[in-house]
Amino acid sequence: MKTIDIQNASVIYETKTALNQISWSVQKGERYFILGANGAGKTTLVKMLLGYIWPRYGAKISVLGEEYGKVCLAELRKRIAWVSPFVHQFTHNPNLTACEMVLSGRDATLGVYFQDVTEEDRQEAEKMLALLNAEKLMDQKLPTLSSGEQVKVLIARALMTNPELMILDEPNVYMDVSGREFLLKTIEKLAQDRPDLTIVFITQRIEDILPIFTHGMILKNGEILVDGPRGEVLTEKNLKRAFDMDLKLVETHSGRFWTVIE
């Protein structure tokens, strides 16, 4: 079963083509990375997947078996976990606690929970935060948290609905090295604990692509440069084309790659 199926999708902002004739599919349970430089079309692709922007006529998009144009997107989004710097901007509400933000995930809202908070709700929110070693943040106001702690809260929020698809759009962009590595280990554990969960990980950093990501796609100028199994995508030839730089790949014992500029 395909979790994501995009056919012939183009997105144009005024005179600029952000995505051009994209056709891409992801099978249920696959772990996919999307790599590309700034302006490659990564964020546009994510927003299209979530139904926040619409492709030109002639495209066909299906997510979790639901065809866009025939489904209630508000309900579909409850089945999708989304963590992004775009979501991060909603952590500045001075009155919102971590617990309240986590609970808002049930309604696929951002910091708005439409029901009275019960003790059972609090326990569930604490359980999600505990998965990230962040249960101590429960009653703290979001603006008082570090950027890394805020990201943990957003991931806990995304897990509240037991999602079928998780989209991680550069989730560690605000983190320092230790916070980034903790997050990557959390993603790795989540993938191991939830083999049925389809994960799409968007990044500019090649070193963030964990071995659990078995398939990948590289975008450049709104087009698919290469798509397929990890070993066929992560090559020096492809990366040189993607970033217009002479890059050398160095593989570590853990299976991750680091780049060296020639």
Side-chain angles (χ1 to χ4, degrees), residues 23-241:
S23 292
W24 177 57
S25 63
V26 179
Q27 299 294 325
K28 180 179 180 180
E30 280 187 338
R31 281 66 199 267
Y32 235 100
F33 68 83
I34 299 176
L35 184 66
N38 284 335
K42 303 186 301 296
T43 297
T44 300
L45 177 60
V46 171
K47 289 181 178 179
M48 186 176 70
L49 277 175
L50 292 163
Y52 290 117
I53 58 173
W54 215 252
R56 298 192 72 186
Y57 178 79
K60 183 177 179 181
I61 300 175
S62 178
V63 175
L64 297 173
E66 303 288 352
E67 186 176 342
Y68 282 24
K70 301 179 181 179
V71 63
C72 174
L73 289 172
E75 290 300 315
L76 179 62
R77 290 181 190 126
K78 294 179 183 180
R79 301 164 61 190
I80 303 171
W82 178 39
V83 179
S84 163
F86 174 79
V87 181
H88 200 101
Q89 66 182 296
F90 292 92
T91 60
H92 301 304
N93 185 330
N95 299 313
L96 205 62
T97 66
C99 177
E100 291 165 339
M101 176 60 91
V102 172
L103 287 173
S104 73
R106 283 185 170 175
D107 296 311
T109 62
L110 288 164
V112 180
Y113 189 53
F114 295 111
Q115 306 172 48
D116 293 332
V117 177
T118 67
E119 183 57 33
E120 184 179 355
D121 290 334
R122 285 184 54 82
Q123 290 175 3
E124 186 65 17
E126 188 172 11
K127 178 181 176 182
M128 293 301 106
L129 287 167
L131 292 175
L132 304 166
N133 291 340
E135 62 270 29
K136 65 181 181 181
L137 306 178
M138 274 283 288
D139 296 310
Q140 293 189 38
K141 302 291 186 180
L142 289 176
T144 68
L145 306 181
S146 69
S147 295
E149 289 172 333
Q150 289 176 355
V151 170
K152 292 177 185 178
V153 171
L154 293 177
I155 292 176
R157 169 194 168 275
L159 294 173
M160 275 298 291
T161 57
N162 193 26
E164 300 166 58
L165 168 63
M166 173 168 276
I167 300 174
L168 298 161
D169 183 7
E170 301 194 63
N172 53 14
V173 67
Y174 296 117
M175 290 187 166
D176 58 20
V177 174
S178 61
R180 184 180 69 183
E181 290 301 312
F182 178 83
L183 176 60
L184 291 174
K185 288 179 181 177
T186 301
I187 294 170
E188 189 172 42
K189 185 177 185 304
L190 181 64
Q192 293 168 350
D193 293 343
R194 287 283 309 274
D196 60 321
L197 178 64
T198 306
I199 301 176
V200 176
F201 181 75
I202 295 92
T203 187
Q204 300 179 52
R205 296 171 173 167
I206 295 147
E207 63 269 21
D208 287 354
I209 301 173
L210 298 166
I212 63 167
F213 295 105
T214 57
H215 292 74
M217 175 171 68
I218 297 178
L219 289 173
K220 183 176 183 180
N221 298 328
E223 297 183 347
I224 296 177
L225 186 66
V226 61
D227 174 34
R230 174 192 181 90
E232 296 177 12
V233 174
L234 280 181
T235 68
E236 292 178 359
K237 178 181 178 181
N238 290 335
L239 295 176
K240 287 176 183 178
R241 292 171 62 198

